[in-house]
């Protein structure tokens, strides 16, 4: 059997060497760290094809009685020797593959003649019972099982296609685990990366973004230079409008979307006040569509009265269209929408606002929300259906003063490539409005927070990259 060892600094390089040697049908037998990096044991996919051919062929005749072992040289189990030599940490997966191959051989043997061969007389005149079909034991001289599951082409036709799908899923899980172990091994060799990873996780950034950043960090930087590079990378990937005129100076028609209680109405009041301060109260148009909550439109009308601006209520889409035509000469038109969760079926009415001419969607996000909540909200409004052309989603981070850790909000904005148009950090109108400065926001998110029960320890970083178990981990 053609088995070769490949050595490289990382598992990906070793896997690439193995594929260069055996092609696309490469089977990985083991993967273990060494002093120089990673060692991969691999062979060709034809190994499993040969095993399938052996399973389909008639069983060989019973072997002759084995010769007695030579004194002083006890025989050893070949599979045990292979296992001991390879020192695999995936012995349970080897047992699974071995058991499956034995079961397939047994099934192939059962498909032979239905009638057992007649008993043959022994030289002494006694009748000898027919020998049973030999089933190789798990400790027999089988080749070392492949670490990578069998491809669909190597699965025999009598087996259902679901087996191949399960094996492919297992292959993907094993490859992901190998990549994770290789990355963790590399991180242990570079303590600066480990400390930065711990710092990002404690700042509530996602492991996905933290790992993507640290994989791209130059390896020869000092500790101080690594921190500066990380902050610059985060600020560079956070899109803001700091280089452009502010939203209230740029003008346009904006529909503020978001969940209930994120501060949409107060944000509209701040933007209206800032625009009215520079261009007069006649330059601002206020529309509310929040007819779901009793008296919800009164809040916007109260803010408008203090600014000298009349707020109009749009009961339906036709009324909204008429009001937009009435406000065509306004510099800034702000539309207050009802707060709806991302899974609410009424959300389609809001996502269809893109069908109206020149209406920009402005999503208001609570900076103190959990990362999963922000991801769900951004994903729901990014994929909102509508007959009109697709529009770039813009956002405002609200309640920044209430967020213990703004890391999840910055993380979600970076991964979804959303343009951040401003920040709010209080209830004062319009003083608590702030331009979105990426460097200041990232620096504030990475400042050492107070100790928290949710902060991981350095020894617990492995849990952030370990695969989720199939069953619960709680035991009573």
């Amino acid at each position: 059997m053609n088995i070769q060892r490949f050595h490289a600094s990382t598992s990906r390089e070793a896997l690439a060497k193995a594929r260069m040697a055996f092609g696309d049908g490469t089977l990985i037998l083991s993967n273990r760290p060494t002093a120089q990096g990673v060692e991969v044991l691999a062979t060709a996919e034809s190994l499993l094809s040969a095993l399938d051919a052996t399973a389909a062929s008639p069983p060989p005749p019973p072997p002759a009685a084995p010769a007695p072992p030579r004194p002083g040289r006890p025989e050893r189990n070949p599979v045990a020797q292979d296992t001991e030599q390879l020192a695999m940490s995936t012995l349970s997966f080897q047992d699974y593959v071995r058991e499956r191959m034995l079961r397939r051989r047994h099934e192939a043997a059962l498909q032979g003649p239905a009638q057992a061969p007649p008993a043959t007389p022994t030289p002494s005149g006694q009748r000898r019972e027919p020998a049973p079909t030999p089933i190789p034991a798990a400790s027999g001289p089988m080749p070392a099982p492949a670490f990578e599951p069998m491809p669909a082409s190597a699965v025999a036709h009598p087996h259902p296609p679901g087996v191949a799908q399960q094996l492919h899923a297992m292959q993907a899980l094993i490859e992901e685990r190998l990549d994770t172990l290789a990355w963790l091994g590399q991180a242990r060799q570079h303590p600066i990366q480990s400390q930065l990873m711990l710092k990002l996780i404690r700042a509530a950034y996602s492991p996905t973004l933290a790992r993507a950043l640290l994989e791209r960090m130059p390896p020869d930087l000092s500790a101080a230079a690594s921190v500066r590079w990380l902050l610059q990378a985060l600020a560079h990937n956070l899109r803001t409008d700091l280089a452009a005129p502010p939203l209230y100076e740029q003008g346009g028609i904006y529909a503020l979307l978001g969940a209930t209680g994120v501060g949409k109405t107060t944000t509209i009041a701040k933007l209206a006040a800032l625009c009215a301060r520079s261009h007069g109260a006649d330059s601002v148009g206020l529309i509310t569509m929040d007819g779901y909550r009793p008296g919800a439109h009164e809040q916007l009308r109260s803010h408008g009265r203090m600014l000298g601006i009349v707020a109009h209520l749009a009961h339906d889409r036709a009324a909204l269209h008429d009001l937009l035509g009435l406000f065509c000469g306004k510099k800034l038109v702000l539309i207050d929408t009802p707060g709806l969760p991302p899974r609410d079926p009424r959300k389609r009415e809001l996502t269809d606002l893109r069908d109206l001419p020149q209406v920009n969607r402005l999503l208001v996000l609570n900076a103190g929300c959990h990362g999963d909540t922000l991801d769900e909200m951004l994903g729901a409004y990014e994929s909102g259906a509508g007959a009109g052309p697709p529009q770039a989603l813009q956002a405002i981070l609200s309640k920044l003063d209430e967020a213990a850790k703004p890391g999840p909000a910055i993380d979600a904005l970076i991964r979804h490539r959303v343009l951040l148009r401003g920040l709010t950090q209080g209830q004062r109108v319009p003083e608590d409005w702030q331009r979105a400065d990426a460097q200041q926001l990232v620096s504030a998110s990475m400042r050492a927070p107070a100790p928290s029960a949710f902060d991981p320890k350095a020894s617990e970083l492995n849990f952030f990259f370990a695969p989720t178990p199939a069953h619960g981990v709680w035991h009573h």
Side-chain angles (χ1 to χ4, degrees):
M1 181 171 57
N2 187 11
I3 298 178
Q4 297 185 21
R5 297 179 184 271
F6 301 92
H7 298 270
S9 57
T10 64
S11 62
R12 292 185 179 179
E13 295 178 4
L15 292 175
K17 291 182 179 180
R19 289 192 176 96
M20 290 180 62
F22 295 109
D24 294 336
T26 303
L27 299 179
I28 305 302
L29 301 180
S30 69
N31 184 312
R32 66 184 184 89
T34 62
Q36 292 77 21
V38 179
E39 178 188 88
V40 169
L41 196 68
T43 185
E45 184 180 319
S46 57
L47 170 63
L48 286 179
S49 300
L51 291 178
D52 286 342
T54 304
S57 61
R70 299 179 182 178
R73 298 182 60 182
E75 294 184 354
R76 298 189 61 189
N77 190 324
V79 175
Q81 294 177 1
D82 291 344
T83 304
E84 180 180 356
Q85 180 182 2
L86 298 178
M88 291 184 180
S89 61
T90 58
L91 189 57
S92 60
F93 178 73
Q94 297 182 25
D95 294 337
Y96 168 80
V97 176
R98 184 186 300 112
E99 179 183 356
R100 174 161 183 79
M101 294 302 302
L102 293 176
R103 186 166 60 250
R104 293 181 61 186
R105 289 189 178 183
H106 182 52
E107 292 173 358
L110 293 179
Q111 294 175 1
Q115 307 213 348
T120 57
T122 59
S124 60
Q126 299 177 353
R127 296 179 60 85
R128 178 186 301 171
E129 295 298 330
T133 303
I135 301 177
S139 60
M142 292 177 56
F147 184 82
E148 185 176 355
M150 293 179 293
S153 59
V155 180
H157 294 288
H159 296 279
V163 176
Q165 297 177 0
Q166 294 177 2
L167 292 178
H168 281 297
M170 186 177 297
Q171 174 185 356
L173 179 63
I174 293 174
E175 289 181 352
E176 179 182 358
R177 182 58 176 164
L178 288 176
D179 291 340
T180 299
L181 292 175
W183 192 93
L184 287 174
Q186 183 180 2
R188 292 190 184 96
Q189 296 176 4
H190 300 83
I192 295 178
Q193 281 192 354
S194 301
Q195 291 300 319
L196 290 180
M197 170 64 74
L198 184 61
K199 187 176 182 65
L200 286 169
I201 297 299
R202 285 177 174 172
Y205 284 89
S206 66
T208 300
L209 180 63
R211 182 173 175 177
L213 287 172
L214 295 181
E215 283 180 346
R216 291 165 174 79
M217 187 178 69
D220 55 347
L221 296 179
S222 62
S226 298
V227 174
R228 288 194 298 269
W229 184 93
L230 181 62
L231 295 178
Q232 292 175 0
L234 286 170
H236 175 74
N237 286 277
L238 179 60
R239 301 175 57 199
T240 66
D241 65 344
L242 190 61
L247 187 148
Y248 52 86
E249 291 291 346
Q250 183 179 358
I253 304 175
Y254 294 92
L256 276 72
L257 313 173
T260 303
V262 296
K264 297 187 298 296
T265 305
T266 306
T267 302
I268 287 178
K270 295 174 183 178
L271 292 173
L274 291 171
C275 184
R277 178 186 296 177
S278 302
H279 304 282
D282 294 338
S283 63
V284 182
L286 298 180
I287 303 174
T288 176
M289 298 179 62
D290 193 354
Y292 296 106
R293 295 179 299 145
H297 58 281
E298 292 298 333
Q299 182 182 2
L300 186 61
R301 286 182 174 177
S302 299
H303 285 296
R305 282 193 294 267
M306 290 187 294
L307 300 174
I309 304 171
V310 178
H312 299 265
L313 175 62
H315 295 280
D316 52 21
R317 184 184 180 86
L320 176 61
H321 191 275
D322 294 340
L323 288 173
L324 290 178
L326 181 65
F327 292 159
C328 61
K330 303 288 186 181
K331 181 176 181 62
L332 182 65
V333 178
L334 301 171
I335 305 172
D336 192 10
T337 62
L340 298 175
R343 292 181 295 273
D344 196 304
R346 297 173 295 179
K347 182 179 66 67
R348 182 179 177 83
E349 302 175 9
L350 304 181
T351 57
D352 283 347
L353 289 174
R354 67 174 71 180
D355 301 341
L356 298 173
Q358 300 177 351
V359 175
N360 301 287
R361 297 178 303 156
L362 192 58
L363 185 61
V364 182
L365 300 171
N366 187 344
C369 278
H370 191 273
D372 291 338
T373 304
L374 297 171
D375 263 347
E376 186 177 21
M377 184 67 67
L378 287 168
Y381 283 98
E382 279 178 339
S383 59
Q391 297 177 359
L393 188 61
Q394 307 174 45
I396 291 176
L397 278 185
S398 65
K399 302 187 178 183
L400 193 62
D401 55 319
E402 301 178 9
K405 294 180 179 180
I410 301 174
D411 185 288
L413 292 172
I414 290 176
R415 287 185 290 104
H416 289 267
R417 306 298 297 164
V418 177
L419 178 63
L420 184 60
R421 300 302 306 268
L423 312 169
T424 66
Q425 49 182 0
Q427 297 294 322
R428 295 181 302 171
V429 177
E431 290 81 8
D432 290 335
W433 170 269
Q434 183 179 347
R435 296 292 304 276
D437 189 325
Q439 293 185 352
Q440 292 182 2
L441 192 58
V442 168
S443 298
S445 71
M446 294 295 290
R447 293 194 186 107
S452 169
F454 299 94
D455 291 341
K457 299 178 181 178
S459 59
E460 298 172 346
L461 283 180
N462 289 351
F463 294 105
F464 285 91
F465 300 96
T468 304
H471 303 286
V473 296
W474 298 106
H475 300 281
H476 299 282

